[in-house]
Amino acid sequence: MQFLNLVGKRIIVRVDFNVPLDSNLNVTDDTRIKESIPTLKYLLNLDGVSLVLLSHLDRPLKKLLPDGTIDVNRFSLKNILPNLTDLLGCEVLFADDCIGEPAETLAKSLKPGQVLLLENTRFHKEEEKGDETFSKKLAGLGEAYINDAFGTAHRAHASTCIIANYFPKNLKAFGFLMKKELASAKRLLVNPDKPFTAIIGGAKVSDKILLLEKMIDSVDNMIIGGGMAYTFFKALGGQVGKSLVEEDRIENAGEILKKAKGKIKLLLPEDSIAANAFTNEAQTMNVDNMFIPDDMMGLDIGPKAIASFTETIASSRSILWNGPMGVFEMPNFSKGTFEIAKAVVAATERGAFSLIGGGDSAAAIHQMHFEDKVSFVSTGGGAMLELLEGKELPGVKSILEG
Ligand code: AMP
């Protein structure tokens, strides 16, 4: 971006304003809007530049009203305008559609320093299809294209990927957030400082299987926690009671254990906090993960697991954390996740590089207000996962290609 000649241009910026809203349609977490501000301010400081902002919000076409129409109120980007105006410190114009007459007229009449936000790109089915005609119409709204929407970079959608094909190499670039995300992932993918520890948790083995397989080739230590750990105990012949198990992944889990043997240190949680029901108020007990009673389910890692995980994290120089250690949304099962967050912060303070891979682990870090105490918190769960799995992201590729 800093190397392009953007002076005097009307610039399309694909941002990621896909933020959570409460029932009153107020933004409950503005991290993604905040993270777009450095790019937007940098561009607005260039002579004669005006901005046309594109984003999606949620999945409006998957959540239609009973009469089959889009819930415009709920999914309008108008809902985020007050936050954006505040954070940017200037007025932001709005167009009710991202293509068509009003958007074109408003975009073309922008004066230097003005910002126009267009309505949710996902109001059009062509967005997710990566439709060429739709992409071309979006591209026609500006003279250069900046992609700063890391959270959707793993999708080959019109506004995140195909649109870039309509701009030559010298008129398209990544924004600062995209650059930071890509650089952070690279620090773990290419010659990471050793020892390198991956902490992988969350509900399912199936969601993280590619990450587990990829990481086995580069980490020194792999910590596995959360619901997915019980599929591994099942593979070891353990009794896991009513804990979450993916029967069709037991074989995969066994293969991962076999592959890890003698190559890396793989740590499974020795014990769990098990409950007799999936509620915060359930009766709990500390159990050995090989012998969980039939009527109990593991919902958090136990004290022995916390101690051994913490010790390994403490000696790490590079850390990747993706996925919670338990059902941290329920306070009685959040201790494991929060203790691991503390261990990651402590290692970072001692000089380790720590990357929090978006999604629920990022939510836990935000909940603890630790975002400035780790090296980097990704804004994209799915996109970061795919990047770390070694995939090329379509939104990245289309900027790099001529
Ligand atoms: P993921 O999106 O795959 O990172 O999974 C996150 C979800 O996994 C969270 O909603 C957690 O509540 C859930 N989770 C973590 N540990 C467990 C567990 N032991 N049993 C059931 N669900 C879990």
Side-chain angles (χ1 to χ4, degrees), residues 58 142 173 204 219 246 250 298:
D58 213 318
K204 294 183 180 166
V219 299
E246 282 175 287
I250 296 173

Side-chain angles (χ1 to χ4, degrees), residues 1 6 10-17 36-41 43-44 49-56 115-118 121 138 141-149 159-160 163 167 173-176 178:
M1 189 164 67
L6 298 172
R10 180 168 11 100
I11 304 169
I12 298 172
V13 189
R14 179 41 162 111
V15 281
D16 183 1
F17 290 163
S36 73
I37 300 298
T39 295
L40 302 182
K41 283 199 169 158
L43 293 170
L44 284 171
V49 158
S50 59
L51 303 180
V52 178
L53 310 184
L54 287 174
S55 179
H56 75 284
V115 182
L116 168 66
L117 172 66
L118 303 181
T121 51
L138 293 177
L141 297 170
E143 299 155 314
Y145 173 74
I146 303 295
N147 190 350
D148 212 16
S159 71
T160 60
I163 185 175
F167 294 91
F174 300 126
F176 293 128
M178 270 281 232

Side-chain angles (χ1 to χ4, degrees), residues 201-204 207-208 225-230 243-244 272-273 278 297-301 322-330 337 358-361:
K204 294 183 180 166
D207 291 340
K208 310 273 164 83
M228 69 163 69
Y230 304 103
S243 307
L244 195 65
S272 282
I273 302 299
F278 193 77
M297 62 185 92
L299 295 185
D300 195 10
I301 55 171
N322 185 307
M325 296 291 102
V327 187
F328 78 108
E329 299 91 334
M330 299 185 201
T337 300
D360 279 322
S361 17

